[in-house]
């Protein structure tokens, strides 16, 4: 079957042009102006923007954490993803401490296989490091894993600095890198003990015990470790100016450092933690939301192409799940949904506000993650021979984010009431 998308504006990383797109058997057969319509089902997309399918390199579906399991599994999570123009997600398979990487990957395949509405892959989280696990790294690469995850916080997940040095050095042998969650666990735990001793158990305490200084310290430490290992790394969910400056300094020393941020850090600030428990608990994420001044630094970094990707860190919990921490803010499951609204938020408040260009949006949501995670040019670009993963966006249509419209298995929307100008009309996988 042939389908011809007629009259739209094709957006790729290095330019935009009014072109038609011919799809045949799930592959882009031709891109160009005024393509012939014969033997094709024609879809008129005049006045619309045609992006390569978005890739979300940071999701957590069906994740057991904080005594519960995320509200979205791979079925509901990927339905929401593709409704929002994301045609590929990369979730985090995880090794349990004392277990093998192979068993971790097997478990994630069991949760995801046969349930996904979009394409999917995995990063592999390493939580326990020894010689047996070292030997497994090549097995993971052979199984299609192109990137790994390390944590500098969370007792069940974190590795010490020595293990981190050895891991990222080992990954370099296979042209892989680790994305790292950077926070200083020991200081955060000490600050939590202080807050609890003072009887401070509200959601508004959360950003106080996980300050930007403790994110920046961990980023600095990671930069030093990666420098010694002479290996590339990525700082996932970069939230603030202090962390970003550490990344800049490392790059000035010649290090290869990638950075990712998320819509919540670009568009929300820590005032969200004030008010009622139910409202404040919705925004408990780690690292926390920061200040408005940090948002401007991140937007400028995106415009200057010093942050490579915008992902979501989608990790959803219902209001009832968030209420598990009603008497202890540290027991509020950390995370919020995001895969469905990333594209329209970035178009509206990035491109629409003149903060980034159309081409930059394409690189941040599609091309750069495709290149970083090893699927380019099959994905991340609209050109002959690539997969026909395509997003058609109406730049003039307006909408409002509401819980009633979303596809998540959720009973609230973090961006409830947020106005959009730019609506996704069609998605092709």
């Amino acid at each position: 079957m042939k389908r011809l998308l007629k009259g739209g504006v094709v957006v790729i990383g290095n330019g935009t042009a009014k072109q038609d797109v011919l799809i045949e058997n799930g592959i882009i057969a031709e891109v160009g102006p005024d393509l012939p319509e014969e033997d094709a089902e024609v879809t008129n997309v005049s006045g619309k923007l045609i992006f390569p399918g978005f890739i979300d390199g940071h999701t957590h579906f069906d994740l057991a954490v904080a005594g519960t399991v995320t509200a979205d599994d791979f079925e509901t999570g990927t339905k929401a993803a593709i409704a929002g123009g994301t045609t590929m997600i990369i979730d985090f398979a995880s090794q349990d401490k004392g277990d093998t990487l192979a068993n971790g990957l097997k478990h994630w395949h069991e949760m995801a296989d046969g349930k996904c509405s979009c394409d999917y892959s995995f990063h592999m989280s390493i939580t326990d490091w020894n010689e047996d696990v070292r030997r497994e790294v090549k097995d993971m690469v052979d199984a299609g894993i192109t990137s790994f995850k390390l944590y500098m916080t969370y007792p069940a997940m974190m590795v010490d600095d020595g293990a981190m040095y050895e891991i990222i050095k080992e990954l370099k042998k296979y042209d892989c890198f680790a994305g790292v969650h950077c926070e200083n666990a020991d200081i955060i735990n000490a600050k939590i003990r202080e807050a609890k001793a003072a009887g401070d158990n509200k959601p508004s305490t959360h950003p106080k015990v996980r300050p930007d200084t403790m994110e920046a310290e961990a980023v600095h430490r990671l930069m030093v470790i990666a420098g010694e290992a002479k290996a590339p790394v990525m700082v996932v969910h970069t939230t603030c100016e202090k962390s970003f400056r550490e990344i800049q300094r490392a790059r000035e020393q010649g290090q290869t450092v990638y950075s990712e941020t998320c819509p919540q850090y670009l568009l929300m600030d820590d005032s969200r933690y004030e008010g009622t428990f139910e409202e404040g608990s919705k925004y408990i994420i780690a690292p926390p939301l920061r200040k408005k001044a940090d948002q401007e630094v991140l937007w400028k970094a995106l415009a200057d192409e010093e942050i490579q990707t915008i992902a979501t860190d989608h990790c959803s919990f219902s209001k009832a799940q968030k209420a598990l921490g009603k008497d202890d803010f540290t027991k509020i499951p950390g995370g919020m949904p995001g895969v469905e609204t990333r594209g329209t938020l970035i178009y509206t408040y990035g491109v629409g506000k003149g903060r980034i260009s159309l081409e930059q949006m394409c690189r941040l949501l599609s091309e750069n993650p495709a290149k970083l995670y090893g699927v380019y040019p099959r994905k991340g670009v609209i050109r002959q021979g690539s997969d026909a993963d395509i997003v058609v966006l109406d730049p003039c249509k307006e909408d409002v984010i509401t819980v009633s419209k979303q596809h998540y298995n959720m009973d609230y929307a973090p961006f409830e009431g947020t106005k959009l100008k730019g609506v996704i009309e069609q998605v092709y996988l």
Side-chain angles (χ1 to χ4, degrees):
M1 174 187 169
K2 293 182 181 180
R3 181 186 295 272
L4 182 65
L5 303 182
K6 191 81 176 169
V9 174
V10 171
V11 183
I12 58 174
N14 62 0
T16 61
K18 186 174 180 181
Q19 292 181 309
D20 302 338
V21 180
L22 179 65
I23 301 167
E24 187 171 5
N25 299 322
I27 301 296
I28 296 172
E30 193 174 355
V31 182
D34 302 317
L35 296 181
E37 299 180 8
E38 58 191 57
D39 302 326
E41 180 180 329
V42 177
T43 301
N44 185 348
V45 291
S46 297
K48 311 296 168 59
L49 300 171
I50 304 175
F51 287 91
F54 305 144
I55 299 170
D56 191 342
H58 195 147
T59 66
H60 299 282
F61 298 143
D62 216 349
L63 179 66
V65 63
T68 186
V69 179
T70 52
D72 284 306
D73 60 11
F74 282 89
E75 181 177 0
T76 63
T78 58
K79 282 181 180 177
I82 202 160
T86 290
T87 55
M88 181 178 182
I89 60 98
I90 309 177
D91 206 82
F92 290 92
S94 183
Q95 167 201 32
D96 289 332
K97 282 195 182 292
D99 203 352
T100 64
L101 301 182
N103 282 340
L105 183 59
K106 178 175 179 286
H107 178 52
W108 253 258
H109 271 295
E110 289 169 349
M111 291 191 293
D113 291 355
K115 298 176 185 175
C116 293
S117 294
C118 66
D119 291 331
Y120 62 99
S121 186
F122 306 112
H123 312 280
M124 173 53 65
S125 298
I126 299 176
T127 65
D128 207 1
W129 184 244
N130 53 52
E131 288 307 308
D132 289 336
V133 175
R134 184 193 296 272
R135 285 188 285 271
E136 280 196 281
V137 169
K138 183 179 185 303
D139 296 337
M140 293 296 101
V141 174
D142 290 344
I145 300 296
T146 63
S147 52
F148 293 74
K149 176 75 176 283
L150 298 172
Y151 292 84
M152 300 174 82
T153 188
Y154 305 135
M157 307 292 289
M158 63 188 293
V159 296
D160 63 32
D161 293 350
M164 184 167 295
Y165 167 79
E166 293 184 358
I167 292 167
I168 61 178
K169 195 171 183 178
E170 186 70 18
L171 298 183
K172 185 185 177 185
K173 295 179 183 178
Y174 302 99
D175 293 323
C176 293
F177 64 88
V180 185
H181 180 134
C182 296
E183 290 185 286
N184 185 313
D186 289 340
I187 304 301
I188 288 169
N189 290 337
K191 292 179 76 67
I192 287 171
R193 289 192 294 271
E194 289 175 350
K196 287 187 173 182
D200 196 351
N201 262 314
K202 302 185 296 295
S204 57
T205 309
H206 177 69
K208 299 172 187 173
V209 301
R210 307 183 89 101
D212 58 357
T213 51
M214 292 301 100
E215 178 184 338
E217 185 281 330
V219 173
H220 173 79
R221 189 159 26 106
L222 174 64
M223 298 300 99
V224 173
I225 294 168
E228 286 298 313
K230 296 180 174 58
V233 288
M234 170 178 271
V235 178
V236 300
H237 46 49
T238 306
T239 76
C240 61
E241 179 176 6
K242 289 185 176 73
S243 292
F244 175 65
R245 300 303 177 209
E246 296 292 346
I247 294 168
Q248 280 187 314
R249 278 189 279 272
R251 288 173 177 162
E252 288 167 2
Q253 299 300 314
Q255 291 182 233
T256 299
V257 186
Y258 307 113
S259 176
E260 163 201 285
T261 193
C262 309
Q264 54 268 34
Y265 300 120
L266 296 166
L267 299 171
M268 293 179 172
D269 63 73
D270 60 2
S271 64
R272 299 271 182 160
Y273 297 116
E274 305 297 334
T276 65
F277 171 86
E278 183 177 285
E279 193 61 24
S281 66
K282 295 175 183 177
Y283 305 99
I284 297 292
I285 57 176
L289 301 175
R290 303 299 187 190
K291 304 293 183 184
K292 287 185 177 179
D294 291 303
Q295 297 174 16
E296 296 311 311
V297 171
L298 295 177
W299 278 115
K300 185 177 186 304
L302 290 168
D304 293 342
E305 305 195 5
E306 294 190 87
I307 293 177
Q308 284 67 48
T309 71
I310 301 173
T312 62
D313 197 6
H314 180 105
C315 190
S316 58
F317 298 98
S318 67
K319 288 187 283 188
Q321 288 175 301
K322 291 284 188 177
L324 293 170
K326 196 168 191 323
D327 300 317
D328 181 350
F329 75 98
T330 65
K331 293 182 180 177
I332 301 170
M336 67 169 67
V339 292
E340 191 166 356
T341 54
R342 178 182 56 143
T344 48
L345 285 170
I346 298 306
Y347 181 79
T348 300
Y349 295 98
V351 177
K353 298 293 184 182
R355 288 164 161 156
I356 59 173
S357 68
L358 276 173
E359 292 85 355
Q360 286 175 318
M361 175 175 163
C362 177
R363 290 196 291 272
L364 289 161
L365 301 191
S366 303
E367 183 179 303
N368 289 353
K371 289 179 175 178
L372 283 168
Y373 302 124
V375 292
Y376 186 89
R378 181 177 172 184
K379 300 183 183 298
V381 65
I382 294 176
R383 74 184 195 192
Q384 185 176 4
S386 296
D387 284 358
D389 297 341
I390 293 172
V391 179
V392 179
L393 186 146
D394 186 335
C396 298
K397 193 171 182 180
E398 297 183 1
D399 199 5
V400 177
I401 295 174
T402 66
V403 65
S404 62
K405 295 178 183 177
Q406 67 187 12
H407 293 78
Y408 310 126
N409 184 30
M410 287 286 293
D411 52 2
Y412 68 88
F415 283 95
E416 181 76 37
T418 301
K419 294 180 180 179
L420 302 171
K421 187 171 183 182
V423 173
I424 291 167
E425 284 203 341
Q426 301 162 37
V427 183
Y428 298 88
L429 180 68

